[in-house]
Amino acid sequence: MNWENHVRKVVPYVAGEQPKNQNVIKLNTNENPYAPAPGVAQVIQNFDCEILRKYPDPDVSVLVDVLAKYHGLDSSQVFVGVGSDDVLAMSFLTFFNSGKPILFPDITYSFYDVWANLYRIPYERQALDDNFYIKKEDYTKKNGGIVLANPNAPTGIMTELSVLEEIIAANQDVVVIVDEAYVDFDGKSCVPFIEKYDNLLVVQTFSKSRALAGMRIGYAMGNPKLIQYLNDVKFSFNSYTMNALTIAVGVASVVDEVYFRQNIAKVVATRERTKIELAKLDFTFGDSKTNFIFATHKIVPAQEIFEALRANQIYVRHWNKPRIANYLRISIGTDEEMDKLITFLEQFLSKEKI
Amino acid sequence: MNWENHVRKVVPYVAGEQPKNQNVIKLNTNENPYAPAPGVAQVIQNFDCEILRKYPDPDVSVLVDVLAKYHGLDSSQVFVGVGSDDVLAMSFLTFFNSGKPILFPDITYSFYDVWANLYRIPYERQALDDNFYIKKEDYTKKNGGIVLANPNAPTGIMTELSVLEEIIAANQDVVVIVDEAYVDFDGKSCVPFIEKYDNLLVVQTFSKSRALAGMRIGYAMGNPKLIQYLNDVKFSFNSYTMNALTIAVGVASVVDEVYFRQNIAKVVATRERTKIELAKLDFTFGDSKTNFIFATHKIVPAQEIFEALRANQIYVRHWNKPRIANYLRISIGTDEEMDKLITFLEQFLSKEKI
């Protein structure tokens, strides 16, 4: 018998490509096109590196405190991790142990089934309707937990809060995770439901709206009991997940709300303008409340457009998966980047149509 | 039925205290008393914060490459994580799935049983002998994997490499993890065995000898197949565990070998001097090859000394556990800090003996 027989074999998540070539127009991983808050650079430049010899604060208190204050919560209601992926991975491990299948949409963040497979959690995908909206009756059947991205990825579609509340209320015997990675770009948050439902965990991230994907900061909010259980698992995994610099950077980002709002307003304005341009070019798409547009062209197959863009150093995301193979997920870049995208598409599509 | 019934309930690891009071002489968590390599501060001060808007390199290539080069390995033989705790947690999840109990000493790093409990991995503790050495015959019984800290913590004792090799060779149907967190302080590494045994995983950290506990960097070395399996699990958990700054800092540390050797030499010299002073004060201890001394006093109970030290703002580590309740683990600080410790002990113990 070989040691390989005892290995946990998994099929890992495949993230969007991170090209080493700096000339690429990178609209494939929903990164923010602008720099993080100016305070971030200040904190890093003035950082006392001598303290790195010591372990960081395992409770990440200063960052937990500013996040709690920002969201009008108590610090006991906030958990911080290494990006929202880390937070979600720990949440799956902590909360989904009933043996019953957890539920999530057929089209959603493609890490959910990877985490379920990693931890051998059974799951059932629920089909979105033809316009990529969830059907709430799918989430009232017996289950071991629910995870919903809102707004959803890669569709960009927002579920009404009243619908989400019905789902949370109907499932008080399990934990319902609402993954709000993109909520800051015009979405509506479930955070106000936390006081009402002790089975709700809301997850957010610094990677998109705070332009800090490179720093790895995500967090969860819920009632203190949920957060305590999550912390127990975290402290059974790694006492110190957040390094000293990351904690300081996170605080610098949260305290600059003016910059945060300006950054988001710019991205949202560019998104709305891009929607108009894409519509003119015969793309159709849902009402994205995120920093990306999930678009399909009326005539030209997505795969063809994807490859043409790529050959011209414009990277967007495309999945060869059922129901979405004819869609492209286009992250919102700077106005200049989107102009280049639109100009290229105008030329490419006019040739295609001849 | 309540959602709490489905929670993974665990008893987390308790790390050494991180007091907010800066005046404490902190000899309780085996931190390095000196700053990290000067290149670390340079890298941080010159860091281009604009790139933080982008995701970091998920493969952590530059850091993997310098570590491989440093250890004379191929990059396919190195895995990097958020401190060696993160690496060990992922290794337990990846490799210990046989259902048979894993083996580790009764006195060792107290996170091993926490990880086993987290993942519901059965385990059996093997008693060290009266001098805190492992008995190799304990590790030839049927098992689901083995984890040995070498040098061991909190004892500081080093197992001979020939003994370790016998254990690795006798267990080729399971993965043997050798946790070398403290190996740089005069210990001998198992890394040369990697070419010979494909079931060996060696884990090291930047937290002690590289004075970067605050940055959270650890790594594993093994044959490419082991590393690939570990990466598959890592990419099923979180694509980006290492942030962009951490990667740069790690590289800056590894490339400065002169500073690294000087730092270690200073700590080792202080340790040897402290041994002499402690012996004069009627402490006994094993031959520590680490940056701490695990000592017991011939007359005065450890708990009493621990509390007296603490009341005087000198923190060491003490566990109320079988066999080690009469020991203190004293991290090696600066010469000045150790002088203060010794001076206090001289006074305190002379009073005790009256």
Side-chain angles (χ1 to χ4, degrees):
Chain A
M1 183 109 95
N2 191 277
W3 59 263
E4 280 191 80
N5 296 332
H6 314 314
V7 166
R8 182 170 297 252
K9 296 188 184 74
V10 288
V11 179
Y13 175 76
V14 179
E17 201 177 342
Q18 298 292 342
K20 311 237 157 157
N21 177 355
Q22 296 298 318
N23 296 322
V24 165
I25 295 182
K26 197 165 172 298
L27 308 175
N28 68 330
T29 52
N30 296 342
E31 287 148 341
N32 198 303
Y34 306 108
V40 166
Q42 275 171 34
V43 155
I44 292 173
Q45 271 143 27
N46 298 326
F47 193 78
D48 172 13
C49 294
E50 194 131 342
I51 72 160
L52 290 176
R53 70 176 190 83
K54 285 198 203 173
Y55 283 96
D57 172 19
D59 300 317
V60 198
S61 304
V62 288
L63 184 50
V64 164
D65 291 351
V66 294
L67 282 169
K69 195 177 160 202
Y70 176 79
H71 286 284
L73 298 170
D74 187 79
S75 294
S76 63
Q77 295 173 296
V78 177
F79 171 89
V80 170
V82 183
S84 58
D85 286 349
D86 183 59
V87 174
L88 287 163
M90 295 221 186
S91 301
F92 273 54
L93 179 61
T94 306
F95 299 118
F96 295 158
N97 296 286
S98 71
K100 287 196 275 286
I102 62 167
L103 308 179
F104 48 83
D106 62 340
I107 303 168
T108 191
Y109 186 29
S110 40
F111 223 134
Y112 299 153
D113 56 330
V114 173
W115 286 314
N117 287 326
L118 174 65
Y119 297 128
R120 313 310 193 208
I121 300 165
Y123 58 92
E124 284 173 12
R125 292 189 180 95
Q126 309 301 309
L128 295 178
D129 73 17
D130 290 342
N131 295 315
F132 297 147
Y133 283 83
I134 66 169
K135 294 173 280 178
K136 67 182 175 192
E137 61 275 19
D138 289 342
Y139 298 90
T140 48
K141 64 180 81 167
K142 230 177 164 51
N143 67 72
I146 291 171
V147 53
L148 293 168
N150 198 46
N152 197 12
T155 63
I157 299 288
M158 184 67 212
T159 302
E160 286 299 319
L161 289 193
S162 59
V163 173
L164 278 182
E165 183 171 7
E166 275 185 70
I167 292 171
I168 298 160
N171 287 282
Q172 297 191 50
D173 57 338
V174 298
V175 173
V176 177
I177 299 176
V178 179
D179 176 356
E180 296 188 339
Y182 298 100
V183 77
D184 291 323
F185 300 102
D186 256 6
K188 290 201 177 67
S189 174
C190 280
V191 166
F193 295 147
I194 286 174
E195 297 297 336
K196 199 163 165 193
Y197 301 101
D198 71 355
N199 63 317
L200 169 64
L201 192 78
V202 180
V203 177
Q204 295 193 5
T205 177
F206 284 53
S207 297
K208 321 295 183 185
S209 55
R210 295 192 177 278
L212 280 170
M215 210 63 203
R216 317 306 299 126
I217 310 174
Y219 58 109
M221 295 166 282
N223 84 82
K225 217 188 267 181
L226 271 175
I227 297 301
Q228 182 58 52
Y229 281 125
L230 201 46
N231 265 314
D232 283 350
V233 163
K234 181 255 176 181
F235 281 104
S236 295
F237 184 91
N238 188 357
S239 310
Y240 310 94
T241 54
M242 307 303 290
N243 73 44
L245 256 165
T246 308
I247 297 170
V249 162
V251 171
S253 172
V254 178
V255 298
D256 193 345
E257 197 169 341
V258 172
Y259 183 88
F260 177 60
R261 295 287 157 210
Q262 283 169 346
N263 181 316
I264 288 168
K266 280 198 285 184
V267 172
V268 168
T270 306
R271 176 188 74 204
E272 295 305 314
R273 191 173 72 75
T274 305
K275 282 180 180 173
I276 294 166
E277 298 294 337
L278 288 175
K280 280 189 210 158
L281 291 169
D282 284 342
F283 282 94
T284 60
F285 38 84
D287 182 24
S288 169
K289 297 292 187 190
T290 64
N291 67 337
F292 58 83
I293 297 169
F294 195 56
T296 186
H297 193 265
K298 284 180 188 160
I299 299 162
V300 186
Q303 175 81 39
E304 227 172 275
I305 304 174
F306 172 76
E307 283 167 12
L309 285 168
R310 201 184 148 82
N312 279 271
Q313 306 292 307
I314 301 175
Y315 285 30
V316 300
R317 194 98 197 256
H318 175 247
W319 289 269
N320 264 320
K321 282 189 178 175
R323 299 189 67 187
I324 61 170
N326 207 26
Y327 282 79
L328 298 173
R329 192 195 65 186
I330 304 165
S331 306
I332 303 302
T334 60
D335 278 313
E336 194 193 348
E337 287 173 324
M338 301 321 274
D339 285 344
K340 284 185 184 161
L341 169 83
I342 296 296
T343 304
F344 174 81
L345 286 174
E346 277 168 357
Q347 291 169 356
F348 174 73
L349 293 170
S350 66
K351 271 186 280 175
E352 282 295 301
K353 282 189 249 176
I354 292 164
Chain B
M1 184 112 97
N2 190 278
W3 60 264
E4 280 193 81
N5 296 331
H6 314 315
V7 167
R8 183 170 297 251
K9 295 187 185 75
V10 288
V11 180
Y13 175 76
V14 179
E17 202 178 341
Q18 298 293 343
K20 312 239 153 152
N21 176 356
Q22 296 296 316
N23 295 322
V24 165
I25 296 184
K26 198 166 169 299
L27 308 175
N28 69 330
T29 53
N30 296 342
E31 287 148 341
N32 198 301
Y34 305 109
V40 166
Q42 274 170 35
V43 154
I44 292 173
Q45 271 144 27
N46 299 325
F47 193 79
D48 173 13
C49 293
E50 195 132 341
I51 72 160
L52 290 176
R53 70 176 189 83
K54 285 197 202 173
Y55 283 97
D57 172 20
D59 300 317
V60 198
S61 303
V62 289
L63 183 52
V64 164
D65 291 350
V66 295
L67 282 168
K69 195 177 161 204
Y70 175 80
H71 286 284
L73 299 170
D74 187 79
S75 294
S76 63
Q77 295 173 294
V78 177
F79 171 89
V80 170
V82 184
S84 57
D85 285 348
D86 182 59
V87 174
L88 286 162
M90 294 219 185
S91 300
F92 273 53
L93 180 60
T94 307
F95 299 119
F96 296 158
N97 296 286
S98 71
K100 286 197 276 287
I102 62 167
L103 308 178
F104 49 82
D106 61 339
I107 303 168
T108 191
Y109 186 29
S110 41
F111 222 134
Y112 299 153
D113 56 329
V114 173
W115 287 313
N117 286 327
L118 174 64
Y119 297 128
R120 313 310 193 210
I121 300 165
Y123 60 91
E124 284 174 12
R125 292 190 179 96
Q126 309 301 306
L128 296 177
D129 73 17
D130 289 343
N131 296 314
F132 296 148
Y133 283 84
I134 67 168
K135 294 173 281 179
K136 68 182 174 193
E137 61 274 19
D138 289 343
Y139 298 90
T140 48
K141 63 182 82 169
K142 232 180 163 50
N143 67 73
I146 291 171
V147 55
L148 293 168
N150 199 45
N152 196 12
T155 65
I157 299 288
M158 182 71 210
T159 302
E160 285 300 317
L161 289 192
S162 59
V163 172
L164 277 182
E165 183 171 7
E166 277 185 70
I167 292 171
I168 297 160
N171 287 285
Q172 297 190 50
D173 57 337
V174 298
V175 172
V176 177
I177 299 176
V178 180
D179 175 357
E180 297 189 338
Y182 298 99
V183 77
D184 290 324
F185 301 101
D186 256 7
K188 291 201 175 67
S189 175
C190 280
V191 166
F193 295 149
I194 286 173
E195 297 297 338
K196 202 164 164 192
Y197 301 101
D198 71 354
N199 62 319
L200 170 64
L201 192 78
V202 181
V203 177
Q204 294 193 5
T205 176
F206 284 52
S207 297
K208 322 292 184 186
S209 56
R210 296 193 176 278
L212 281 169
M215 210 63 204
R216 316 305 301 126
I217 310 176
Y219 57 110
M221 296 167 281
N223 86 82
K225 216 186 268 181
L226 271 176
I227 298 300
Q228 182 59 52
Y229 282 125
L230 201 45
N231 265 314
D232 283 351
V233 163
K234 181 253 175 179
F235 282 105
S236 295
F237 184 90
N238 187 357
S239 310
Y240 310 94
T241 54
M242 307 302 292
N243 73 44
L245 255 166
T246 308
I247 297 170
V249 162
V251 171
S253 171
V254 178
V255 298
D256 192 345
E257 198 169 341
V258 173
Y259 182 88
F260 178 60
R261 296 288 159 210
Q262 283 169 347
N263 181 316
I264 289 168
K266 279 198 285 184
V267 172
V268 168
T270 307
R271 177 188 71 204
E272 295 306 313
R273 191 172 73 75
T274 305
K275 282 181 182 172
I276 295 167
E277 299 294 337
L278 288 175
K280 281 189 212 160
L281 292 170
D282 285 341
F283 282 95
T284 60
F285 39 81
D287 183 23
S288 168
K289 297 293 188 189
T290 63
N291 67 337
F292 57 83
I293 297 170
F294 195 57
T296 185
H297 194 265
K298 284 178 190 162
I299 299 161
V300 186
Q303 175 82 39
E304 229 172 273
I305 305 174
F306 172 76
E307 283 167 11
L309 285 167
R310 200 183 149 82
N312 279 272
Q313 306 291 308
I314 302 176
Y315 285 29
V316 300
R317 194 99 196 254
H318 176 249
W319 288 270
N320 265 320
K321 281 190 181 176
R323 297 187 70 188
I324 60 169
N326 207 26
Y327 282 80
L328 298 174
R329 193 194 66 186
I330 304 165
S331 306
I332 303 301
T334 61
D335 279 312
E336 195 194 347
E337 287 174 324
M338 301 322 274
D339 286 344
K340 285 186 185 160
L341 169 81
I342 297 296
T343 304
F344 175 81
L345 287 173
E346 276 167 358
Q347 292 169 354
F348 175 72
L349 293 169
S350 66
K351 270 184 281 174
E352 284 294 304
K353 281 189 249 178
I354 290 164

